[in-house]
Amino acid sequence: MNYQKRFVVEPGVKVRLGKIDPAFKGKHESKDKAAPEIEKHVERMAKAQYMLYADGNHSLLVILQALDAGGKDGVVRHVFTAMNPQGTAVFGFKQPSEFEAAHDFLWRAHLHTPVKGEVVIFNRSHYEDVLVVRVHKMVPKSVWSKRYELINDFEKMLTENGTRILKFYLHISPQEQLERFEQRLDDPLRQWKISEADYSERKLWPDYIEAYEDAIERTSTKHAPWYVIPSNHKWFRNLAISEILADALEDMELKLPPTRVDIAEIRRKYHTAAAQQGRQGHTPPKEK
């Protein structure tokens, strides 16, 4: 199944999240059955990232959005494991600092966009300024409603500068969220994630869904599409996202840069050095 086509939101289409099954898992029966396919896609991503880094003319920006416990950290931890850290960065968008808030709402997002050859993952993003800001009425509608167009212009500018943008909404059910909250309560290693806001925000679920539906409809474009990923099953979430990422990277038609040196001359120098080393004999390294 082509998940890029299955889950993409075409420009201008109104998304009804309530009609999308968050427990969807396609033809796959279990995590174990899907594991080989996930591994294959992750390997494809690793190879493509090497090409992206070497090519040096393009970059990739991945945006992860979800309600609390939606699995953003899990995607970062499991899907991007094979990528070279030297060419990958993750930025988590928390409540803006006083300094950040003194700038325009896109300033801190632009500050962390990828340089050429780099992959950057936004764990939450500039979309918080049309989501949480809207739901909590931090600014009037006359302010946040204008931000959709500004976001589209911002992302178009990044695209025209060589950045591929992929945006994922991790779609879970209210029951699945509650089960994940319970898992945090029962696991001492995850209790640090618990917040009083988990339950106050949960009461605003319908408002957040409405905000997400509007944001996705208004900002899913050909150059920066949204994908709604069924995420009740964590393994299926990882499968779908890894396939979409691998396909997108390979579609960029990345190329290795031309060799900057005379290979024949370098080969001659290598053989000369190897011959000299052979005459000098091999001295084993000292034990540390």
Side-chain angles (χ1 to χ4, degrees), residues 44-60 83 116-119 162-164 245-258:
R44 290 170 59 209
M45 287 171 55
K47 291 178 182 178
Q49 187 216 4
Y50 176 82
M51 297 290 290
L52 180 77
Y53 186 83
D55 181 86
N57 292 307
H58 305 276
S59 58
L60 176 66
M83 285 196 170
K116 293 185 185 301
E118 187 180 37
V119 176
T163 298
R164 180 72 181 267
L245 285 169
D247 287 348
L249 281 163
E250 291 175 352
D251 288 346
M252 292 168 74
E253 299 182 349
L254 302 165
K255 298 178 181 179
L256 292 174

Side-chain angles (χ1 to χ4, degrees), residues 59-196:
S59 58
L60 176 66
L61 175 61
V62 178
I63 294 172
L64 302 175
Q65 289 286 160
L67 291 164
D68 292 333
K72 300 180 298 299
D73 291 343
V75 171
V76 174
R77 187 165 60 252
H78 295 291
V79 176
F80 293 92
T81 52
M83 285 196 170
N84 189 332
Q86 290 187 103
T88 311
V90 181
F91 183 74
F93 282 75
K94 308 296 184 181
Q95 183 175 347
S97 67
E98 183 177 350
F99 181 71
E100 290 171 333
H103 291 79
D104 67 89
F105 81 99
L106 288 169
W107 179 81
R108 65 172 179 160
H110 203 166
L111 197 64
H112 296 283
T113 53
V115 301
K116 293 185 185 301
E118 187 180 37
V119 176
V120 168
I121 303 105
F122 280 0
N123 187 331
R124 299 189 187 274
S125 66
H126 44 290
Y127 282 94
E128 295 299 295
D129 287 280
V130 291
L131 295 167
V132 64
V133 167
R134 167 180 170 170
V135 170
H136 285 279
K137 299 179 173 59
M138 295 177 180
V139 298
K141 182 178 181 179
S142 61
V143 173
W144 60 254
S145 62
K146 295 177 182 177
R147 290 177 174 173
Y148 300 123
E149 186 174 351
L150 294 171
I151 288 172
N152 287 337
D153 290 342
F154 169 64
E155 293 177 351
K156 184 177 181 182
M157 180 269 295
L158 293 177
T159 302
E160 291 177 349
N161 194 48
T163 298
R164 180 72 181 267
I165 303 173
L166 301 173
K167 303 180 293 197
F168 297 98
Y169 172 69
L170 312 182
H171 182 41
I172 63 172
S173 65
Q175 181 58 36
E176 177 64 21
Q177 184 193 59
L178 200 59
E179 290 178 8
R180 294 183 185 183
F181 284 171
E182 181 183 21
Q183 291 168 4
R184 290 179 180 179
L185 280 172
D186 295 339
D187 185 352
L189 293 177
R190 287 192 282 178
Q191 288 177 356
W192 65 272
K193 287 189 171 186
I194 298 172
S195 167
E196 291 284 353

Side-chain angles (χ1 to χ4, degrees), residues 8-16 20 212-221 226 228:
V8 71
V9 178
E10 296 295 341
V13 172
K14 180 65 177 178
V15 176
R16 300 295 183 188
I20 298 174
Y212 266 110
E213 289 178 342
D214 287 347
I216 292 170
E217 176 190 4
R218 297 286 298 276
T219 62
S220 193
T221 60
W226 274 103
V228 177

